Amino acid sequence: MAVAAIKWRVHERVEEIIWYGDTHNDASLMWKGVSYAHGKDRLGQPIVWSGSCLHHQKDQSYPQLKRYLIWMMETLRTLLVTPVERVCLIMDLSDHSNANMDWPFVKTFIKFLEAYYPECLGLCVVYNGPWWFSGVWKLISPLLDPVVASKVQFASKPDALLKFIDPQELLESRGGLDKYAYEYVKPQAEENKLMFDSEGRLAASAALDKVREQFVQATREWTDAKEGGDDDAFARASRERKELSDKYRLAAEEKDKYTRARHFYTRTGVLADGKVNWSKVQHHKE
């Protein structure tokens, strides 16, 4: 699976998508807010709100839609802060109609989840589906990996969402206290100037490579100690490996500044210096 995923990333030019960011996405997808992250669920997982009524297959080409999906997946990864490793997806079917159905996109999304972004989904809540959606679910569910299918829950009313999301984190439009409404923030002049600092990029890459080598060596010592039954050496190696893991994350975030275009969540201040702060854009009812 790992080799297939690497080949796929090369074929789809994922690093190029990361480099150019949302500036190369279909503008209508960004302005409408077909999908966006905001707030966190009761497990601390970022919430991705996806309103199906905003999606119309003919509004953009399939390649553009696929590019947007890859960009969204890659961007969401920057919003995961240790120990959180997954997201909560709210499939909002309010005002959904047959005109919003897009089977090629559904199949692509399922394929991405299972093959290229495994275990990135912590929970999927299908909210406020029309009466006939049960028939659609019967068609979709056999396509899902059993592990993915087990993470799907259904909520028909706002109160049901409170089982998964705290009132302070739930949008007011869905029965919560957060008055936030999505509004796209355009790219800013010179926001990506670091990406053209070749010396800084090389230095960041070298620093990341150095920590990677140290982590690999620490992992070898960790496995040797485990196999050898040396509990003290295993404990020391575990601590060192954890410290290097944290250093590797910081080094990767530093390199990101030179290889990843700034995006909506950096412009709004939600993501800064590797930390996520949703209060930057949250507005609660008094």
Side-chain angles (χ1 to χ4, degrees):
M1 177 179 286
V3 173
I6 292 172
K7 289 182 177 179
W8 172 82
R9 292 180 70 87
V10 173
H11 180 265
E12 295 294 344
R13 304 171 78 169
V14 174
E15 296 305 316
E16 182 177 310
I17 292 174
I18 292 172
W19 174 272
Y20 287 106
D22 55 11
T23 59
H24 281 202
N25 285 343
D26 184 280
S28 67
L29 292 169
M30 301 306 303
W31 286 101
K32 288 188 298 185
V34 174
S35 296
Y36 63 90
H38 181 75
K40 58 183 183 294
D41 67 5
R42 292 186 181 274
L43 297 178
Q45 302 173 140
I47 302 171
V48 182
W49 296 90
S50 182
S52 64
C53 69
L54 298 175
H55 175 68
H56 294 87
Q57 185 177 3
K58 295 181 179 180
D59 284 354
Q60 61 282 308
S61 67
Y62 175 73
Q64 263 293 344
L65 190 60
K66 184 170 66 170
R67 185 196 192 283
Y68 172 79
L69 181 58
I70 294 173
W71 172 83
M72 190 69 182
M73 293 285 220
E74 292 293 325
T75 301
L76 288 173
R77 294 173 69 182
T78 68
L79 301 177
L80 300 176
V81 180
T82 305
V84 176
E85 297 180 342
R86 299 176 177 88
V87 302
C88 169
L89 173 63
I90 307 295
M91 296 291 295
D92 190 347
L93 301 184
S94 302
D95 301 319
H96 180 91
S97 70
N98 284 330
N100 304 121
M101 285 305 300
D102 186 346
W103 285 112
F105 171 73
V106 170
K107 292 179 180 179
T108 298
F109 181 55
I110 292 172
K111 177 67 174 178
F112 281 13
L113 281 180
E114 294 179 351
Y116 309 129
Y117 297 93
E119 294 302 317
C120 72
L121 181 67
L123 172 68
C124 175
V125 181
V126 180
Y127 173 69
N128 199 22
W131 64 270
W132 47 264
F133 184 75
S134 59
V136 176
W137 176 245
K138 290 180 180 179
L139 295 175
I140 296 176
S141 54
L143 302 175
L144 296 175
D145 180 274
V147 175
V148 175
S150 68
K151 299 176 181 180
V152 178
Q153 301 289 323
F154 295 87
S156 58
K157 297 180 180 180
D159 286 350
L161 289 175
L162 294 175
K163 175 182 177 181
F164 311 104
I165 306 172
D166 186 271
Q168 295 288 325
E169 301 289 338
L170 184 60
L171 298 177
E172 182 183 27
S173 60
R174 295 297 175 259
L177 301 177
D178 186 358
K179 301 174 69 174
Y180 174 80
Y182 174 84
E183 184 176 348
Y184 180 55
V185 179
K186 295 185 296 183
Q188 306 298 310
E190 297 188 357
E191 67 178 6
N192 294 317
K193 61 182 180 180
L194 276 180
M195 296 177 68
F196 300 94
D197 178 359
S198 58
E199 292 185 3
R201 183 167 61 252
L202 289 173
S205 296
L208 181 61
D209 290 341
K210 180 179 179 180
V211 178
R212 182 189 296 115
E213 292 173 1
Q214 293 173 339
F215 182 79
V216 170
Q217 179 59 35
T219 300
R220 290 196 184 101
E221 296 173 359
W222 178 71
T223 55
D224 290 344
K226 180 66 175 179
E227 293 174 355
D230 189 334
D231 293 339
D232 291 338
F234 180 72
R236 288 195 301 272
S238 296
R239 289 193 297 270
E240 182 180 4
R241 190 166 179 269
K242 175 61 171 63
E243 292 173 359
L244 287 170
S245 176
D246 292 339
K247 288 182 179 179
Y248 187 84
R249 176 178 57 81
L250 294 174
E253 290 173 357
E254 181 64 22
K255 183 182 177 181
D256 248 17
K257 297 176 182 178
Y258 299 93
T259 58
R260 182 188 299 272
R262 303 307 91 187
H263 50 70
F264 176 77
Y265 305 99
T266 55
R267 293 176 204 131
T268 56
V270 168
L271 177 63
D273 298 324
K275 297 179 181 179
V276 176
N277 184 0
W278 294 108
S279 67
K280 293 289 185 178
V281 291
Q282 287 175 324
H283 307 284
H284 295 114
K285 296 171 64 175
E286 298 296 334

